[in-house]
Amino acid sequence: AQSVTQPDIHITVSEGASLELRCNYSYGATPYLFWYVQSPGQGLQLLLKYFSGDTLVQGIKGFEAEFKRSQSSFNLRKPSVHWSDAAEYFCAVGIRTIKAAGNKLTFGGGTRVLVKP
Amino acid sequence: DTAVSQTPKYLVTQMGNDKSIKCEQNLGHDTMYWYKQDSKKFLKIMFSYNNKELIINETVPNRFSPKSPDKAHLNLHINSLELGDSAVYFCASSQDRASRSSYEQYFGPGTRLTVT
């Protein structure tokens, strides 16, 4: 069965420091992978996506993620975090089904990022 | 302009009551979803509708009944509320249900339901 694991529940990082969030997936086929961000009191927003091709993908807000098939990972990175990056981050795998059934996302448990001044 | 809106934002009610949450999207999408986020932030899909047709039903108790009057609206009605229903419920929408764009979902701000 497909699953997504985010090993870190909380991460605290200083403003200006680099950030890396880990994501591991289990999926029987080539995965479609996503990172979503949830700011406090808000809904989720898509940060970036991977379908195929270049394994390093760029997203919004200066984030990037790298797909590593050998490690079943899709880690999210940002070189220099800003206080506004404090949020909950969710990794997700896209589950493909037959057309009539509709695709869906399976989310990891999330990583809360706290940014220290 | 709000892309995906939900009402109410907060809902506090007692066990056994029936309540509804409404969702509207103005993105022109034809697929809409309901998700439940529990107290540990775990997010799980409940339902998906495409052009008013139910296409995903993730083994949710039949006390939960989604209704889609048109492709821009998806409401969630919950009968006989239980303590375990307390959660944040998110509505989302996407273009299409089976192409890659189906994964690019736009979420509403959520409805925090508290059952006492």
Side-chain angles (χ1 to χ4, degrees):
Chain A
Q2 64 280 351
S3 65
V4 181
T5 302
Q6 294 179 243
D8 304 305
I9 297 174
H10 294 104
I11 284 183
T12 299
V13 61
S14 297
E15 192 167 14
S18 63
L19 174 68
E20 181 166 10
L21 304 183
R22 296 183 291 165
C23 172
N24 294 97
Y25 67 89
S26 172
Y27 189 58
T30 301
Y32 294 162
L33 296 162
F34 309 86
W35 277 98
Y36 279 80
V37 60
Q38 182 181 19
S39 298
Q42 303 294 319
L44 280 71
Q45 180 185 21
L46 179 65
L47 274 179
L48 47 75
K49 60 197 176 194
Y50 171 79
F51 292 115
S52 63
D54 192 346
T55 55
L56 185 64
V57 294
Q58 303 297 321
I60 62 171
K61 305 186 182 188
F63 284 92
E64 65 178 26
E66 186 171 13
F67 169 57
K68 293 186 177 180
R69 184 186 301 275
S70 62
Q71 298 177 20
S72 297
S73 70
F74 189 57
N75 293 350
L76 181 71
R77 298 193 292 253
K78 185 167 185 177
S80 176
V81 299
H82 186 262
W83 63 266
S84 60
D85 294 322
E88 191 93 22
Y89 291 80
F90 292 92
C91 182
V93 63
I95 308 302
R96 301 191 287 287
T97 64
I98 59 173
K99 185 176 176 64
N103 295 333
K104 60 182 179 181
L105 292 167
T106 292
F107 288 89
T111 298
R112 174 165 290 183
V113 173
L114 304 173
V115 180
K116 294 190 302 185
Chain B
D1 286 341
T2 303
V4 182
S5 59
Q6 294 179 230
T7 53
K9 191 169 177 63
Y10 300 96
L11 186 53
V12 181
T13 188
Q14 292 184 328
M15 287 176 55
N17 285 348
D18 304 337
K19 291 293 179 186
S20 292
I21 305 171
K22 296 186 175 183
C23 177
E24 177 180 1
Q25 56 94 3
N26 62 6
L27 296 166
H29 290 163
D30 59 9
T31 305
M32 296 183 72
Y33 311 81
W34 277 113
Y35 287 87
K36 180 180 180 181
Q37 186 176 49
D38 64 22
S39 59
K40 295 185 176 173
K41 298 285 189 177
F42 184 68
L43 194 66
K44 185 164 169 46
I45 189 169
M46 301 172 67
F47 301 103
S48 171
Y49 268 75
N50 176 259
N51 280 324
K52 304 192 294 176
E53 176 191 0
L54 178 66
I55 56 170
I56 293 176
N57 182 339
E58 287 290 299
T59 321
V60 177
N62 58 16
R63 297 183 296 104
F64 290 79
S65 53
K67 283 192 171 49
S68 181
D70 56 60
K71 73 175 192 177
H73 296 83
L74 180 61
N75 304 324
L76 183 65
H77 188 75
I78 315 171
N79 290 324
S80 303
L81 278 155
E82 300 177 356
L83 292 177
D85 297 332
S86 294
V88 180
Y89 292 84
F90 286 100
C91 177
S93 72
S94 71
Q95 188 64 13
D96 195 17
R97 66 180 178 186
S99 71
R100 290 180 175 183
S101 60
S102 67
Y103 303 113
E104 300 181 39
Q105 298 181 11
Y106 292 77
F107 283 75
T111 295
R112 182 173 295 276
L113 172 65
T114 304
V115 182
T116 61

